[in-house]
Amino acid sequence: MENSMLPLPEYKEENGNVYLSLRNKISEHSKTIHDKVVLKIQNKSSSFNQTQRKILGYLFRNQKSIKEDLANFCNTHINTISHHLNYFIEEGIITRLSEKQRAPNALFTLKKH
């Protein structure tokens, strides 16, 4: 049950009663987007252009992407995608998952925390 969003149940016996506790691990799940990030997106959504909305929609559905896939999906130049991704990174909405600054296949994902 390593990928389960619920850990093992916890049992406790006290004063003749048995208590069962189930703890939610949803915040640790790989597809979870932090509330602060969702709120930022909601607050700024009216200022996003069509390409920016497509990028975010793609990342909501697919969890991660490289620039080339986003450029194909948005039907726009990869430099335009880079510009928008850099903006989202500065705003704390997207995270780059690559050690190298200019890695062509760097993954981008919505920020988890």
Side-chain angles (χ1 to χ4, degrees):
M1 264 210 268
E2 191 173 309
N3 290 330
S4 175
M5 293 191 320
L6 289 176
L8 293 175
E10 297 173 13
Y11 296 93
K12 177 172 81 172
E13 209 174 313
E14 194 174 282
N15 299 327
N17 295 315
V18 176
Y19 297 93
L20 169 66
S21 297
L22 297 173
R23 305 228 184 267
N24 185 341
K25 296 190 327 183
I26 190 77
S27 64
E28 298 170 17
H29 193 270
S30 65
K31 295 182 181 179
T32 301
I33 301 163
H34 197 279
D35 291 341
K36 289 180 184 177
V37 175
V38 173
L39 192 58
K40 274 185 189 180
I41 293 170
Q42 287 175 341
N43 290 338
K44 294 183 174 283
S45 65
S46 63
S47 67
F48 296 154
N49 64 35
Q50 183 178 6
T51 302
Q52 289 171 318
R53 288 188 181 107
K54 283 184 174 182
I55 291 168
L56 293 174
Y58 188 93
L59 291 175
F60 269 112
R61 282 188 299 283
N62 299 293
Q63 284 76 52
K64 55 189 171 189
S65 183
I66 61 173
K67 290 179 189 178
E68 185 178 355
D69 290 344
L70 288 169
N72 291 334
F73 177 75
C74 295
N75 195 27
T76 192
H77 196 274
I78 199 162
N79 291 346
T80 303
I81 297 299
S82 293
H83 171 75
H84 292 309
L85 290 173
N86 288 335
Y87 167 76
F88 287 138
I89 289 169
E90 289 172 12
E91 290 294 320
I93 294 172
I94 287 179
T95 300
R96 178 189 173 98
L97 302 176
S98 174
E99 301 279 324
K100 298 178 183 177
Q101 185 61 27
R102 302 233 182 250
N105 290 326
L107 286 172
F108 294 85
T109 185
L110 291 165
K111 198 163 186 167
K112 304 298 179 196
H113 46 67

